[in-house]
Amino acid sequence: MLEVRMVTKRFGETTALDRVELTVTDGEVMGLLGPSGCGKSTLLRVIAGLETPDEGRIFWDGEDITRTPPHLRRFGLMFQGYALFPHRTVAENVAFGLRMRGLSPAEIRRRVDEVLSWVGMGGMGDRGIEGLSGGEQQRVALARTLAPQPRLVMLDEPLGALDRLLRERLIVEIRELLSRNRTTALYVTHDHTEVAAVADRVAVMREGRIVQVGRWTDIRSEPADRWVAEFVGV
Ligand code: ADP
């Protein structure tokens, strides 16, 4: 279980995160929804350990990890520009995080095959990245994120660069994949359709604060205030 307690992060005059409180329970997919600049990416970076909060604490299963280095958190982070290695094969890309963990070549091969089959790319390990479609590259990036068995997966606008039809298909696949593995996840987007399709609960952010947390249908039927109502389109 992830707990973010009263986390504040400032960049000069800007308060990117303002006393943020958030709990993500085991196996839950939490959507993080808010307009551009509201602090979504900063929150993910603080949880990942890429930024240190000015105030507040972060806990995993009750353990304070606020100062734990990123690679010891065992969290997986996937960005929109997921930067696959273009001159490597699919399998080499997926194996990247496994090599860092010191698995044997046989273990790596087995794990890569398993994860590629999860994302519907079984048998495509020897393909080059450059010959793949956008959707296939997105699947490889997802496989690479999931391969080291992260305790928490954070997806930051993972489908942002793709066209709508492909996004609608992939979001269903991502949802199934996360449920099947009971993955604890944070899914950042500014797209309402995506958040509705993927998240068990949704945290709505505005100007560095979380203004409402709940099931998407509940937020829509009972928005916390006028701003949330307008933002979620009711
Ligand atoms: P979002 O992901 O919701 O678009 P961000 O977390 O990227 O929002 O940004 C939140 C606020 O913090 C914005 O005002 C942004 O300009 C500011 N910010 C984010 N990162 C930095 C940084 N490294 N230096 C200065 N300001 C930053």
Side-chain angles (χ1 to χ4, degrees):
M1 178 168 83
L2 173 77
E3 290 168 279
V4 177
R5 292 288 163 253
M6 296 295 276
V7 163
T8 293
K9 177 70 187 175
R10 298 182 197 91
F11 297 105
E13 299 285 282
T14 308
T15 303
L17 299 176
D18 185 7
R19 290 162 288 165
V20 167
E21 291 270 319
L22 186 67
T23 301
V24 186
T25 60
D26 292 340
E28 180 176 42
V29 179
M30 176 69 76
L32 197 53
L33 185 72
S36 180
C38 74
K40 304 182 294 296
S41 301
T42 304
L43 180 56
L44 288 203
R45 292 174 60 79
V46 163
I47 294 169
L50 302 171
E51 300 278 2
T52 311
D54 295 307
E55 285 152 38
R57 308 230 149 269
I58 296 164
F59 298 90
W60 182 265
D61 286 348
E63 182 196 345
D64 187 341
I65 57 161
T66 316
R67 313 262 155 206
T68 304
H71 65 284
L72 297 179
R73 296 189 186 199
R74 296 206 283 120
F75 294 169
L77 186 54
M78 179 175 152
F79 294 100
Q80 183 181 137
Y82 32 75
L84 296 169
F85 304 113
H87 303 299
R88 303 271 180 87
T89 66
V90 166
E92 284 165 349
N93 269 276
V94 177
F96 178 72
L98 300 174
R99 278 208 198 88
M100 309 277 284
R101 279 184 58 197
L103 295 187
S104 75
E107 286 168 322
I108 290 177
R109 223 170 302 126
R110 189 157 39 78
R111 181 72 184 158
V112 166
D113 287 346
E114 179 185 29
V115 180
L116 281 177
S117 75
W118 287 355
V119 298
M121 291 197 54
M124 291 172 76
D126 294 332
R127 299 268 297 270
I129 294 298
E130 282 171 333
L132 301 179
S133 70
E136 287 167 341
Q137 291 195 18
Q138 197 276 348
R139 289 190 173 92
V140 175
L142 191 60
R144 185 176 66 174
T145 307
L146 296 175
Q149 292 175 290
R151 307 189 286 187
L152 172 73
V153 173
M154 292 184 276
L155 305 162
D156 192 353
E157 304 259 5
L159 306 182
L162 304 172
D163 67 61
R164 174 152 289 282
L165 255 163
L166 189 54
R167 280 160 63 172
E168 282 170 6
R169 206 171 72 214
L170 282 170
I171 195 71
V172 175
E173 292 180 14
I174 290 176
R175 170 75 245 187
E176 282 170 7
L177 191 57
L178 295 177
S179 322
R180 179 150 33 102
N181 292 293
R182 288 207 78 241
T183 308
T184 309
L186 259 168
Y187 190 105
V188 168
T189 181
H190 61 263
D191 184 299
H192 296 182
T193 336
E194 255 175 65
V195 89
V198 82
D200 297 307
R201 288 193 300 155
V202 178
V204 181
M205 271 189 96
R206 178 193 183 196
E207 293 173 0
R209 308 204 63 169
I210 291 185
V211 289
Q212 190 167 5
V213 182
R215 288 172 23 192
W216 179 240
T217 47
D218 294 340
I219 291 175
R220 286 186 47 103
S221 59
E222 281 180 64
D225 58 28
R226 195 184 174 85
W227 184 88
V228 174
E230 281 173 11
F231 183 68
V232 303
V234 290

